[in-house]
Amino acid sequence: MRVVIEGPLGQCWRLRAVVLRFSRVCIVIRKAAASIGALAFCLAAINPAMAQDVVAGTNDAAQEMPPGEEDEAIFAEPGQILVVATRIKGQVDTTLPPIAVLDEAAIASYGAGSIQELLAAIAPQTSSGRGRGGGMPIVLLNGMRISGFRELRDYPPEAVKRVEVLPEEVALKFGYRPDQRVVNFILADKFSSFVSDTEVRFPSGGGFSELEQEFTLTKIANGNRINVTAKVQDASPLTEGERGIVQPSAGTLVAGDPRGADYRTLIGDTKSAELNATLARSLGEGAGLSANLQVQRDDSRTLNGLNTVTLGGFARTTLLPQPITTLRRTTTVQAGAALNKPLGDWLLALTADGGHVETKSTIDNRADLSGLQALVNSGAIAANGALVPAAILGVAADRALSKTDTLSSLATFSGRPLRVPGGEVGLTVKAGFDYSGIESSDTRTTTGTVNLKRGDAQVGFNIDLPITSRKEGFGAGLGDLSFNANAEVHRLSDFGTLYNWGGGLTYSPFAAMTLSASYVAADKAPTLLQLGGPVTVTQNVALFDFTRGETVLVSVISGGNPGLVKERQRDWKFGLNWSLPFLKDSAFVAEYFRNRSTNTSNGFPLLTADVETAFPGRVKRLNGQIVSVDQSAVTFAQEKGSRLRYGLNIAGNFGKPDPNAQAGAGRPGGGRPAGAAAGAQRPASPPRAGGIGRSGPGGFGGDGRGRWNLSVFHTVRFEQSLQFAAGGPVLNLLEGDAINSSVARHSLEMEGGGFYRGFGLRANGTYTGGSRIDGSGAPGSTSLRFAPIATFDVRMFADLGRKPKLVEKIPFLKGSRVSLSIDNVFNAQQRVTDDTGTVPLRYNPGFLDPRGRVFELEFRKQF
């Protein structure tokens, strides 16, 4: 007898797992019956709900099947059970298993207001430990490239039916470098909503408030999409005085003079307005075209203190002619487009994204107070008496203008050109061109208008070669083994040619485990600003002098350094992804990284004694005290690092079944499918198979029970070192040396929560171990010790729209959600002390974390 089961890939894969586990029982039953009922009877002994689903053909547990098994699979004994499965529409076709998978119910359990918020909530799964790139994961939509994250970020999570988090190597298939993980969002086939989201934030310590209002329109139908979001934000300022910070004064303060701390902002006064719109159209036969436009205006006002003068030993401050202020207005216009079109068995993907950013700044200068000293010298006024306004002369403000233009374009052509015994070979070829231009002028410099331009033309390829395959029956006893190779060439108009190449192996000895190893070699050019940025001088910047053990206000010089050279990167990564057989709904992920870089371009490092010695002439002192520092970019001869990042994703269900689960309490979050009547929402989606894990936790069924998940990751650094100059001393950043800040050997991150009958609780936390920065040992020098710190954020929310009785009484609450968030629940502040146990002014908690504990109230209404 051979039982044939046809259906979605995930559904069939779930049956495979059960059949394999209980194959002996099924074989016995096979001899007694020759129908699907025999299989159902077999499953009934294991999971009655699943048996019922098999008979009805309506199993809704959508699990993903390991790559390479999408066509068909035979299990138990040969010729007994054949499962014919199809890949879920929108999945990424790769031999590498996902690190995490979320289905609709798991997505709803996060209570996020947008895809951007959802992505932030699952950061422990999406963050990369490779140590390269900007940290933001690469985002795909329905398994395809898009013009940029702007195109997707404002969609409500209710419009997403599945999220896949994939390892960095998958980025190569889409023309990107393997620097960040890949997150694939699979949208619902039909969806329509209009969302209003209001958020108010305020700290427990007072001092400022933030208000954000957002409106989002979303429609999805027949492969067409439209998303329009309007957002306004307003944040009030926070000053040093409101956090109790007192700067040292040059003399005795006079009663009645204004306090300078009240006019130095830690957080500026900001306002922002933004409009983001995306339109996508299906062109038929799997082809699609999308376009995005964003317009944004940001205004900020920061205070840099008061005009001060020392008169006869008294430190005088005045509000005249006005507090020293910096005003900045930034206007941003960005547009992007993407075309994905199948050409036979190949897929052509074209993307382009461009932007124009214009920033205008007005920077106040200090007033001329020399007239006051003349009056004191003549005896006309007392040094601690009333100041004469006529003797305070204003100085014209400086003005700066910066215009930045960017264009990024990429074309990829991917397919499977040939078949080898191990399966089909995957190939992606790419070509692209990027442009960036900066035009800037600043009255604080003598260089006039600066124009910087760079063009970057690139070509490259990526090839995936299967070697052995269980599916193909070639070397099946060894498992699945595949090889990857990639290379690309960049030609920069202002810097020359850069070469990037790499390769890797992926091995799956059995379905639940995947091992991987990859090597990346890359050249990197300094940025335009690092090479040729305008020279500017910023006054009154707080800086800690390790040589003298004091905090001082200095003038900081910043700008480009044309002497920077090409950086070379050589990285190894080894990974393990294992669905644990002894812990239900779990996945263990471990990754080891080793980075080696030479001639790295960096911002000027922390001013330790080693740094001052390595870069002579950068620091100017007067009577031993620092008065100015040149912080233009520098080159480090070599940097090395190695670390292990490992963690566990687990999930499950809890609570009693909900009798109303199938009765219809509204789609989680309040949305409805496109075309549904406003008064007839789609029935609630009960917790389904999915969640976080390699293939997503299963067994949630349709009874409306609650669900929970927990992700915990630990990073341990084995090496973090650098050399400023070839042949020079090696700085061990894990043992007291530093370039920007201290480096902790151990760090932890966690995220988890639960969701039950419309109520949710989410929590995330981070832990950073203790570290130190050693002093030089010279008289007056001091070391700094950074205590361990753990911070926790909590979010509680209630989907009021899932409460039928409440909605019946207050119809306005239909589709609404309220939430309370607390960032830094315990108001943890890292403690930094010197050799005497004193906290240096520069490391006052008000400087390190001025926000502290912050409460947020949110009301979200989906129409």
Side-chain angles (χ1 to χ4, degrees):
M1 187 276 293
R2 185 173 74 169
V3 178
V4 178
I5 307 169
E6 297 186 5
L9 178 152
Q11 173 179 325
C12 297
W13 176 240
R14 178 122 185 254
L15 292 177
R16 176 193 182 191
V18 176
V19 172
L20 283 175
R21 186 177 299 177
F22 299 95
S23 58
R24 292 185 180 180
V25 178
C26 293
I27 292 169
V28 173
I29 295 177
R30 176 187 61 79
K31 296 179 180 179
S35 68
I36 190 68
L39 178 61
F41 179 81
C42 171
L43 295 176
I46 307 158
N47 188 327
M50 183 180 292
Q52 182 179 356
D53 287 339
V54 170
V55 175
T58 58
N59 187 350
D60 197 35
Q63 289 292 336
E64 66 91 24
M65 183 175 174
E69 306 282 353
E70 65 273 15
D71 297 323
E72 63 178 26
I74 299 177
F75 25 84
E77 293 183 358
Q80 292 175 358
I81 299 175
L82 173 64
V83 173
V84 180
T86 56
R87 179 173 293 279
I88 294 175
K89 182 180 178 182
Q91 274 189 276
V92 175
D93 184 8
T94 175
T95 58
L96 290 167
I99 293 170
V101 175
L102 303 176
D103 68 0
E104 286 182 271
I107 293 168
S109 72
Y110 281 87
S114 66
I115 285 181
Q116 186 171 23
E117 290 184 7
L118 177 63
L119 201 59
I122 61 174
Q125 292 80 42
T126 63
S127 60
S128 171
R130 187 177 286 277
R132 308 292 189 187
M136 177 73 182
I138 294 166
V139 174
L140 305 177
L141 177 61
N142 296 330
M144 297 184 181
R145 282 175 36 217
I146 54 179
S147 61
F149 185 50
R150 294 190 317 274
E151 184 175 322
L152 189 61
R153 69 182 188 190
D154 295 323
Y155 278 73
E158 293 86 353
V160 182
K161 65 180 180 182
R162 186 179 175 91
V163 179
E164 299 173 320
V165 181
L166 299 154
E168 294 88 340
E169 290 77 9
V170 176
L172 293 165
K173 294 177 61 68
F174 299 92
Y176 301 105
R177 296 300 302 159
D179 296 327
Q180 295 93 26
R181 285 184 173 167
V182 177
V183 182
N184 181 35
F185 292 91
I186 302 177
L187 295 182
D189 296 327
K190 291 185 177 181
F191 181 81
S192 178
S193 74
F194 178 75
V195 176
S196 170
D197 197 337
T198 305
E199 299 177 6
V200 178
R201 291 179 286 271
F202 51 91
S204 61
F208 72 95
S209 62
E210 297 173 344
L211 172 65
E212 181 177 324
Q213 177 64 56
E214 181 177 308
F215 298 98
T216 301
L217 171 68
T218 305
K219 291 183 179 294
I220 304 173
N222 303 319
N224 302 318
R225 300 180 280 116
I226 184 171
N227 176 257
V228 181
T229 298
K231 181 190 299 185
V232 293
Q233 300 179 78
D234 189 3
S236 61
L238 175 69
T239 66
E240 292 181 8
E242 289 169 314
R243 286 293 178 262
I245 298 174
V246 179
Q247 297 276 9
S249 63
T252 303
L253 299 177
V254 176
D257 282 0
R259 294 195 314 162
D262 294 334
Y263 298 91
R264 284 190 295 269
T265 50
L266 298 168
I267 299 175
D269 185 2
T270 60
K271 293 179 175 60
S272 176
E274 175 189 355
L275 180 66
N276 186 40
T278 299
L279 178 66
R281 286 290 178 262
S282 171
L283 303 181
E285 299 181 351
L289 176 67
S290 64
N292 169 265
L293 175 66
Q294 179 204 22
V295 180
Q296 184 170 336
R297 168 70 60 81
D298 299 289
D299 291 290
S300 68
R301 178 177 181 265
T302 57
L303 301 178
N304 303 316
L306 297 173
N307 288 300
T308 62
V309 63
T310 301
L311 302 175
F314 292 96
R316 305 303 306 272
T317 59
T318 176
L319 291 171
L320 299 176
Q322 65 180 18
I324 302 172
T325 304
T326 297
L327 301 176
R328 185 167 284 112
R329 166 167 288 185
T330 300
T331 303
T332 303
V333 179
Q334 293 180 296
L339 171 67
N340 288 275
K341 182 175 178 58
L343 298 175
D345 294 332
W346 293 74
L347 176 66
L348 173 66
L350 303 173
T351 57
D353 188 73
H356 175 79
V357 181
E358 182 172 304
T359 302
K360 298 179 180 179
S361 303
T362 303
I363 308 101
D364 283 350
N365 281 305
R366 292 188 174 277
D368 181 1
L369 305 183
S370 59
L372 292 175
Q373 184 63 60
L375 292 176
V376 171
N377 293 340
S378 67
I381 63 172
N384 60 347
L387 302 180
V388 179
I392 302 173
L393 304 178
V395 176
D398 284 310
R399 299 184 182 277
L401 174 64
S402 173
K403 299 179 181 179
T404 302
D405 295 301
T406 58
L407 172 65
S408 176
S409 61
L410 183 65
T412 59
F413 196 49
S414 56
R416 299 183 180 276
L418 59 98
R419 173 180 287 274
V420 296
E424 293 182 311
V425 176
L427 176 66
T428 298
V429 294
K430 68 174 183 176
F433 180 78
D434 295 343
Y435 168 82
S436 56
I438 301 173
E439 177 184 328
S440 63
S441 60
D442 195 323
T443 57
R444 293 174 295 175
T445 72
T446 58
T447 55
T449 301
V450 175
N451 285 283
L452 304 173
K453 297 180 180 180
R454 171 178 290 176
D456 178 3
Q458 63 164 303
V459 294
F461 75 92
N462 175 72
I463 186 169
D464 293 309
L465 175 65
I467 300 174
T468 65
S469 171
R470 290 189 296 269
K471 172 191 166 184
E472 299 292 337
F474 183 76
L478 299 176
D480 294 331
L481 177 65
S482 62
F483 171 74
N484 163 273
N486 60 90
E488 60 186 67
V489 180
H490 292 254
R491 178 66 181 181
L492 276 58
S493 59
D494 67 320
F495 199 78
T497 304
L498 306 177
Y499 299 95
N500 300 332
W501 57 275
L505 288 171
T506 300
Y507 176 54
S508 178
F510 47 89
M513 177 180 289
T514 300
L515 305 171
S516 63
S518 63
Y519 179 76
V520 176
D523 295 340
K524 182 179 178 182
T527 66
L528 279 175
L529 287 176
Q530 285 178 326
L531 285 170
V535 178
T536 60
V537 179
T538 305
Q539 299 178 348
N540 296 320
V541 177
L543 182 145
F544 185 77
D545 183 355
F546 282 86
T547 300
R548 292 168 58 97
E550 61 183 5
T551 300
V552 291
L553 297 177
V554 303
S555 297
V556 171
I557 304 168
S558 59
N561 178 359
L564 301 178
V565 297
K566 179 192 304 183
E567 175 182 343
R568 296 186 182 276
Q569 302 174 350
R570 301 293 185 265
D571 299 342
W572 280 99
K573 175 194 170 184
F574 300 92
L576 165 68
N577 192 333
W578 184 23
S579 293
L580 301 178
F582 51 82
L583 189 59
K584 182 182 178 183
D585 307 329
S586 67
F588 175 77
V589 179
E591 296 171 316
Y592 172 80
F593 304 92
R594 197 196 75 163
N595 303 130
R596 298 291 186 268
S597 300
T598 57
N599 295 326
T600 63
S601 298
N602 298 271
F604 195 75
L606 198 68
L607 189 56
T608 63
D610 289 329
V611 171
E612 189 170 354
T613 301
F615 300 101
R618 292 295 191 108
V619 179
K620 292 185 178 180
R621 296 179 179 269
L622 180 62
N623 297 325
Q625 188 175 67
I626 298 176
V627 294
S628 70
V629 179
D630 180 358
Q631 292 190 347
S632 54
V634 295
T635 295
F636 296 164
Q638 181 173 264
E639 293 187 56
K640 295 181 179 181
S642 63
R643 59 203 163 279
L644 173 67
R645 185 177 187 266
Y646 64 95
L648 189 66
N649 296 320
I650 57 176
N653 60 344
F654 65 92
K656 297 180 180 180
D658 183 0
N660 297 318
Q662 301 290 350
R667 180 183 177 91
R672 64 177 185 271
Q681 286 187 314
R682 158 178 161 175
S685 297
R688 304 192 308 172
I692 290 186
R694 172 180 165 179
S695 302
F700 288 101
D703 57 8
R705 286 180 292 172
R707 62 188 303 138
W708 61 270
N709 80 279
L710 176 66
S711 298
V712 181
F713 283 84
H714 174 219
T715 299
V716 54
R717 298 179 181 272
F718 303 113
E719 180 184 19
Q720 197 71 40
S721 64
L722 68 86
Q723 283 180 297
F724 291 129
V730 176
L731 302 186
N732 186 345
L733 305 186
L734 298 175
E735 295 294 339
D737 296 321
I739 54 171
N740 291 312
S741 60
S742 64
V743 178
R745 186 177 296 275
H746 295 276
S747 61
L748 289 167
E749 52 186 331
M750 62 79 61
E751 187 280 326
F755 183 70
Y756 185 52
R757 298 190 183 182
F759 294 94
L761 173 66
R762 307 300 309 180
N764 62 75
T766 61
Y767 167 83
T768 302
S771 57
R772 73 180 194 274
I773 300 177
D774 293 335
S776 66
S781 174
T782 184
S783 298
L784 293 180
R785 288 171 175 79
F786 296 76
I789 180 173
T791 60
F792 295 91
D793 303 333
V794 173
R795 185 168 185 267
M796 298 163 282
F797 62 93
D799 277 340
L800 303 181
R802 292 171 62 91
K803 299 298 177 183
K805 293 183 180 180
L806 180 62
V807 171
E808 183 178 351
K809 293 180 181 179
I810 310 176
F812 176 76
L813 295 180
K814 182 179 181 180
S816 66
R817 183 179 69 219
V818 295
S819 66
L820 169 64
S821 302
I822 308 175
D823 294 341
N824 197 356
V825 174
F826 302 107
N827 199 24
Q829 304 282 341
Q830 186 168 44
R831 181 172 173 80
V832 183
T833 57
D834 59 19
D835 288 337
T836 67
T838 302
V839 176
L841 176 63
R842 177 62 185 86
Y843 293 93
N844 184 292
F847 283 130
L848 299 180
D849 181 18
R851 297 173 64 86
R853 182 193 297 114
V854 176
F855 294 92
E856 177 186 298
L857 295 175
E858 177 187 16
F859 179 76
R860 184 175 186 262
K861 167 73 174 173
Q862 199 171 60
F863 299 90

